[in-house]
Amino acid sequence: MMLTRRHFMTTAGCSIAVAGSGANRGWAASEITLGQMQIQTLSDGHLSLPPDFIFGPMPKDLLPPVLKANGIASGPLTPECNVTLVRDGQNVVLFDAGSGPAFQDTAGLLVDALDAVGLVPDDVTHVVFTHCHPDHLWGVLDDFDDPLFANAEHMMGQTEWDYWFDPETVNTIQTERATMAVGARRRLEVLEDQMTLFGAGQEILPGVAAVASPGHTPGHMSFELRQGSNSVLVVGDAIGNHHVGFARPQWHSGSDQDQVQAADTRQMLLDRLASEQMQLIGFHLPGGGIGRAEQTDDGYRFIPDPV
């Protein structure tokens, strides 16, 4: 049986002043019990994105009703950043590493979130990456450019590694993403000796299988966490938001590197999630990112798990 709960932690160990605000911040966690696995999502903060970063390629006449139906107002988008933590009594596994301090000042809070659940970076045994965008990878280094999770084995899909480690990627990627390529390669160079590569379909850890979900990046991976007949799918950015990503999965998103492939991947994942009624965890989905996909007459909708 899987149970879900969400709670906010504002203990002395996790409340700090937000720069410039004088306010205290608590780190939120959502939690699932899956067999022997304790699965939590920890907040790395949130991003601030211009709407066209996602909506740019979408049909301008059809987009407003979808946004209105999902309560999306004008102005910057501020998606959550949910890092998945799995503890099984032996391993302490992070799925992605957050953005660290070098990307946006509204994110990079993972170390504080770990502290709020009684962990420090040295406790982490594995860091598993969905992909190499800044908000998922850049948090792997500390202030001295050393690996933050010094005791951890780092794990990434072979295709994703090959793409971002290739020195030519910076010359072939879209110009506006060139800084992503530079930042990714710099971090991967530091992690090279600690990195284990894998392919789609492999069981990379007990109860954890890699699921190919390309398009957002060339080698994006999702991960199925399974205990007996129950499973949860960590989708990373393969389903990148709770509004158009569900309601109109075939619409191309400006956030995806291969927009056609990413749309096909979204449709495939949503078909499976809805038909199997499998729980999912999305990096940028609201309320900690845990919920289900429900099919509608013309698409899907995200149903957050009850708290």
Side-chain angles (χ1 to χ4, degrees):
M1 181 175 67
M2 291 179 286
L3 303 174
T4 305
R5 63 193 177 105
R6 180 165 172 82
H7 49 89
F8 290 85
M9 296 159 290
T10 54
T11 64
C14 70
S15 287
I16 63 172
V18 179
S21 72
N24 284 336
R25 179 163 199 151
W27 277 265
S30 296
E31 183 175 312
I32 304 172
T33 300
L34 179 66
Q36 297 301 309
M37 292 182 178
Q38 180 188 20
I39 306 168
Q40 292 176 290
T41 59
L42 303 180
S43 176
D44 190 50
H46 70 273
L47 302 182
S48 180
L49 304 173
D52 275 356
F53 181 73
I54 292 174
F55 303 143
M58 296 181 181
K60 298 298 184 285
D61 56 334
L62 302 178
L63 178 61
V66 174
L67 298 183
K68 183 178 180 181
N70 284 276
I72 306 302
S74 60
L77 302 174
T78 56
E80 296 182 16
C81 296
N82 304 302
V83 174
T84 300
L85 167 71
V86 176
R87 288 180 276 189
D88 62 8
Q90 181 176 358
N91 297 314
V92 178
V93 185
L94 287 177
F95 289 85
D96 293 323
S99 65
F103 186 48
Q104 292 193 4
D105 59 10
T106 56
L109 307 177
L110 179 58
V111 171
D112 300 285
L114 285 169
D115 178 67
V117 295
L119 296 173
V120 297
D122 283 352
D123 293 327
V124 176
T125 62
H126 300 81
V127 183
V128 182
F129 297 98
T130 61
H131 65 296
C132 287
H133 280 169
D135 50 330
H136 298 255
L137 172 67
W138 285 17
V140 293
L141 301 185
D142 63 18
D143 292 339
F144 302 97
D145 280 352
D146 292 322
L148 176 63
F149 305 101
N151 298 327
E153 178 181 1
H154 294 66
M155 309 181 78
M156 183 179 295
Q158 180 79 58
T159 301
E160 188 74 356
W161 172 273
D162 289 346
Y163 177 77
W164 295 100
F165 200 72
D166 184 349
E168 283 303 306
T169 293
V170 71
N171 299 318
T172 57
I173 200 170
Q174 299 98 316
T175 302
E176 65 272 16
R177 298 177 188 262
T179 56
M180 294 185 183
V182 172
R185 180 173 167 84
R186 182 169 75 82
R187 288 160 177 83
L188 296 183
E189 286 176 333
V190 175
L191 296 174
E192 185 172 10
D193 291 339
Q194 294 174 258
M195 188 69 68
T196 298
L197 303 177
F198 56 83
Q202 286 186 231
E203 185 177 45
I204 63 170
L205 290 167
V208 180
V211 178
S213 48
H216 183 68
T217 63
H220 188 288
M221 284 282 186
S222 299
F223 299 94
E224 182 177 356
L225 313 179
R226 179 170 290 277
Q227 294 278 287
S229 60
N230 291 323
S231 60
V232 176
L233 194 65
V234 178
V235 301
D237 283 4
I239 306 173
N241 59 73
H242 68 289
H243 34 83
V244 290
F246 280 78
R248 300 293 183 270
Q250 284 299 326
W251 283 1
H252 294 173
S253 172
S255 64
D256 297 324
Q257 288 183 231
D258 185 328
Q259 296 176 9
V260 174
Q261 186 180 49
D264 290 343
T265 291
R266 266 193 305 279
Q267 186 70 58
M268 176 271 292
L269 292 177
L270 287 166
D271 286 347
R272 181 185 176 191
L273 289 162
S275 65
E276 297 182 18
Q277 277 300 287
M278 186 190 305
Q279 281 182 296
L280 69 109
I281 301 175
F283 194 87
H284 293 303
L285 301 184
I290 300 174
R292 299 178 189 270
E294 180 180 272
Q295 191 162 14
T296 65
D297 290 339
D298 52 1
Y300 299 85
R301 61 171 161 253
F302 176 61
I303 308 296
D305 274 11
V307 297

